[in-house]
Amino acid sequence: MIKEITSKQNAFLKQVLKLLTKKGRLKQGAYILDGLRIVSHAIEQQCDIVCIFVTDDLIEQIEMLDYSGVIYKVSNGIMKMIVETETPQGIVAVIKTSEPKLIPGKVLLLDQIQDPGNLGTLIRTADAAGFTSVMLTKGCTDPYSQKSLRSSMGSIISIPVLVNQDLDEIMSLKTSHRVYGAALEGGTPYQQITYNDQSVLIIGNEGNGISDEVLELVDQRVYIPMHGDVESLNAGIAGGILMFEMVR
């Protein structure tokens, strides 16, 4: 069903625009996905799609997808409001937030990651490396912000991402998983370790590393040896190196 929204004062549009804030996303239990490929992926994954917004030039493409829900045709100006960018891709979907369950295996645990770009990159890399789940501690930035979602490139709907995880939930994994933490002090070079099939990899905050209370749960600390004058790597890059080593 195709409808049209022409006014920027439209009541439903105003509700959707509230999803650009974390408060709005939490209140409505929904978020915005941007781009034809990612929206197509959400349809294929049978996500709970509230509606789709599309500009006139992409109407034919969206009609070819296996989607029978509500489609709102909007102007480029309104589309820019929804995605907060000067170069929108012309299609967005409003998706209901799910409550995924952890899948045991290779689990990435992110502890107080603050940069949305790093967070999205780490989620995407975990998906690419074949990790089974991602856990986020309560101090992490919102994975459903526009910047995080763009960096994750749709992986947020491909791999279970569990938010607001506390120490009890992390401790429960120790009965079945070996826990590795990225930490320089007392660590072993990452290439010298034989990783368990059931493993948790913890990547800590960009500036402070893994928090003390989470670090106490680590079974083995790992680090990436540096050459030259480099002291550390970006969290997204370091996490990628360690994840692919763990599944090698």
Side-chain angles (χ1 to χ4, degrees), residues 214-228:
V214 174
L215 193 58
E216 290 180 2
L217 303 178
V218 169
D219 297 312
Q220 186 165 10
R221 301 184 187 192
V222 302
Y223 74 93
I224 301 171
M226 301 288 167
H227 299 281

Side-chain angles (χ1 to χ4, degrees), residues 32-238:
I32 296 170
L33 275 182
D34 175 25
L36 179 61
R37 188 186 69 79
I38 297 175
V39 171
S40 299
H41 184 49
I43 294 171
E44 292 169 0
Q45 293 292 311
Q46 298 183 331
C47 293
D48 188 356
I49 300 175
V50 177
C51 66
I52 288 175
F53 289 87
V54 62
T55 51
D56 191 55
D57 53 325
L58 286 180
I59 280 288
E60 289 186 5
Q61 293 191 55
I62 197 65
E63 288 178 333
M64 293 171 64
L65 299 177
D66 185 19
Y67 176 72
S68 58
V70 178
I71 299 171
Y72 290 101
K73 186 171 72 171
V74 297
S75 66
N76 287 327
I78 289 178
M79 184 62 71
K80 287 181 180 180
M81 292 171 62
I82 298 173
V83 297
E84 290 189 315
T85 178
E86 287 300 312
T87 56
Q89 297 185 47
I91 178 172
V92 301
V94 177
I95 312 285
K96 280 291 184 182
T97 307
S98 63
E99 295 184 5
K101 294 183 178 180
L102 183 134
I103 300 175
K106 290 288 195 303
V107 178
L108 176 66
L109 172 61
L110 303 179
D111 182 31
Q112 301 185 34
I113 295 293
Q114 294 297 297
D115 182 82
N118 280 339
L119 187 73
T121 297
L122 285 160
I123 292 171
R124 183 183 181 189
T125 306
D127 187 19
F131 271 54
T132 54
S133 299
V134 178
M135 300 172 70
L136 311 181
T137 64
K138 292 182 178 179
C140 280
T141 191
D142 184 6
Y144 298 106
S145 71
Q146 289 289 290
K147 188 171 182 181
S148 288
L149 289 169
R150 290 193 187 103
S151 296
S152 71
M153 290 293 291
S155 287
I156 193 81
I157 57 178
S158 301
I159 184 172
V161 178
L162 291 75
V163 301
N164 296 323
Q165 301 294 285
D166 57 29
L167 290 179
D168 288 341
E169 288 158 323
I170 300 169
M171 285 182 66
S172 66
L173 281 176
K174 284 179 66 67
T175 60
S176 56
H177 292 66
R178 185 165 177 79
V179 180
Y180 302 91
L184 181 60
E185 186 176 347
T188 302
Y190 75 102
Q191 313 99 314
Q192 298 179 14
I193 298 172
T194 300
Y195 298 94
N196 290 25
D197 290 336
Q198 300 272 97
S199 299
V200 178
L201 172 64
I202 304 177
I203 303 294
N205 174 269
E206 292 90 344
N208 302 314
I210 301 172
S211 59
D212 291 340
E213 59 268 28
V214 174
L215 193 58
E216 290 180 2
L217 303 178
V218 169
D219 297 312
Q220 186 165 10
R221 301 184 187 192
V222 302
Y223 74 93
I224 301 171
M226 301 288 167
H227 299 281
D229 296 326
V230 178
E231 293 183 358
S232 63
L233 293 174
N234 169 280
I237 293 173

Side-chain angles (χ1 to χ4, degrees), residues 9-23:
Q9 302 304 314
N10 178 275
F12 180 68
L13 175 62
K14 287 183 176 181
Q15 287 298 111
V16 170
L17 294 179
K18 291 179 181 179
L19 297 177
L20 296 173
T21 68
K22 183 176 181 179
K23 180 180 179 181

Side-chain angles (χ1 to χ4, degrees), residues 231-248:
E231 293 183 358
S232 63
L233 293 174
N234 169 280
I237 293 173
I241 292 171
L242 294 174
M243 279 187 271
F244 275 96
E245 177 66 19
M246 289 179 71
V247 300
R248 187 165 63 89

